[in-house]
Amino acid sequence: MILRDPVHGLIAFEGMAERVIRSLLDTREVQRLRRVRQLGLASLVFPGAEHTRFSHAVGTAHIMQSLQRRIDACSDELPADQRLDDEARAEGLAAALLHDLGHGPFSHLFEEVLPHAKHHELWTQEIILDPSTEVHQALQAISSGMAERVAGLLNGDYR
């Protein structure tokens, strides 16, 4: 799958990465990010500031692929438990794509104006762990227990 990213240009997801990204892109929770502005109200002053959390998420998954390639390039120097296997690669890509899933309208501004609002990181974890969400079901279809592992990765609790 080749996508045109506004920051990174043409980006490709192939093989396992395409399977993970395509199945998650098709979920309603990820598609909702197309309507969440990354820069809050900035587009009212700067008409070109039309960035969405969706395009940010795709770009983040692309950067995760670059990071994974870099880790692979120096894997001979890493202890065996720090090398990437296919499961860790898939979970890293999923976490990168889904890391902002819990953002509300106008991104961070939403959290600042609502008293006692949950932060988007907590919402993200709840969405991923909720069995009724399409994103949870897509993760579980890729690998049993993947939703819990991706949520753990986003929470800093991962192998």
Side-chain angles (χ1 to χ4, degrees), residues 66-125:
S66 296
L67 174 62
Q68 290 176 346
R69 282 192 294 273
R70 179 68 185 120
I71 292 170
D72 288 343
C74 62
S75 66
D76 292 343
E77 302 167 28
L78 296 173
D81 66 329
Q82 292 180 9
R83 295 177 189 157
L84 296 176
D85 57 20
D86 288 342
E87 182 177 85
R89 273 180 231 294
E91 290 161 3
L93 281 171
L97 183 72
L98 302 175
H99 79 281
D100 276 344
L101 208 56
H103 265 294
F106 304 111
S107 209
H108 290 279
L109 182 63
F110 183 76
E111 294 171 4
E112 293 174 19
V113 298
L114 290 179
H116 312 295
K118 280 191 233 180
H119 287 270
H120 72 275
E121 294 91 351
L122 187 56
W123 281 111
T124 296
Q125 289 185 9

Side-chain angles (χ1 to χ4, degrees), residues 26-92:
D26 288 342
T27 65
R28 89 175 62 178
E29 294 84 12
V30 172
Q31 288 297 311
R32 174 189 144 303
L33 295 177
R34 290 181 182 274
R35 298 183 308 275
V36 178
R37 294 180 185 268
Q38 179 160 336
L39 302 175
L41 300 171
S43 63
L44 298 176
V45 177
F46 302 100
E50 292 293 334
H51 312 292
T52 66
R53 285 287 161 188
F54 180 84
S55 63
H56 170 70
V58 171
T60 304
H62 169 67
I63 295 297
M64 177 57 78
Q65 281 192 128
S66 296
L67 174 62
Q68 290 176 346
R69 282 192 294 273
R70 179 68 185 120
I71 292 170
D72 288 343
C74 62
S75 66
D76 292 343
E77 302 167 28
L78 296 173
D81 66 329
Q82 292 180 9
R83 295 177 189 157
L84 296 176
D85 57 20
D86 288 342
E87 182 177 85
R89 273 180 231 294
E91 290 161 3

